[in-house]
Amino acid sequence: MPGALCYSVLVERHGQQERLDYSAEGWTGLPEDAVGFWKCHVPIPAARQVATTDAETLLKYFEQLVEASNPQQEKMCFVLALYLLQRRRLRLDGSHERDGVEFLELSGSRGEGPFEVRDQQLSEAEMTQLRLALDQQLTAGGEAA
């Protein structure tokens, strides 16, 4: 599973070197024939599908999320807003603070909006996970939901 801890071991068997990978739960220690080992995290694949989805589809999905104002979707809405800012389909008009919470003020590059999105203060790991989830939603037809 992406992001999970794993152990990799290099062993020598029958004159050949072989790599063995173990989950953290399956790790019982070094095998007798181990040459070396390392501990790492399974890489999180980059979200590629979002980059190929057109900005108009992403903006429509963003508008649905903003209108629904569903607290469970606020983080996804924020990530989508950042992506649309990067693609220059949204503009940052400013920001304001309300009750100690920062909000971004956005508008579409073709006059859509205005939109208000809560700044989620996400870590890099959370951003990556949300980009992957966005990719899955869009490839599964989530933009038409």
Side-chain angles (χ1 to χ4, degrees), residues 33-80:
D33 51 355
V35 175
F37 83 101
W38 59 97
K39 184 169 62 168
C40 61
H41 291 275
V42 176
I44 297 172
R48 285 170 261 161
Q49 186 65 32
V50 172
T52 61
T53 302
D54 69 286
E56 294 310 309
T57 300
L58 293 173
L59 183 64
K60 286 178 187 172
Y61 186 48
F62 171 77
E63 288 174 323
Q64 289 174 4
L65 291 177
V66 169
E67 288 174 18
S69 53
N70 180 346
Q72 285 85 19
Q73 293 291 329
E74 279 187 340
K75 289 182 180 182
M76 184 67 70
C77 188
F78 177 72
V79 169
L80 195 49

Side-chain angles (χ1 to χ4, degrees), residues 74-76 78-79 102 117-122 126:
E74 279 187 340
K75 289 182 180 182
M76 184 67 70
F78 177 72
V79 169
E102 181 102 13
V117 176
R118 184 175 163 229
D119 187 344
Q120 297 293 315
Q121 303 291 319
L122 301 174
E126 287 177 296

Side-chain angles (χ1 to χ4, degrees), residues 47-54 58 80 83 87 131-132 134-136 138-139:
R48 285 170 261 161
Q49 186 65 32
V50 172
T52 61
T53 302
D54 69 286
L58 293 173
L80 195 49
Y83 187 75
R87 301 262 317 252
R131 281 189 300 241
L132 288 171
L134 177 61
D135 180 35
Q136 289 174 349
L138 292 174
T139 57

Side-chain angles (χ1 to χ4, degrees), residues 9-13 16-18 30-37:
V9 180
L10 187 61
V11 295
E12 190 166 329
R13 295 188 177 154
Q16 299 278 359
Q17 291 185 344
E18 187 179 334
L30 285 173
E32 285 184 26
D33 51 355
V35 175
F37 83 101

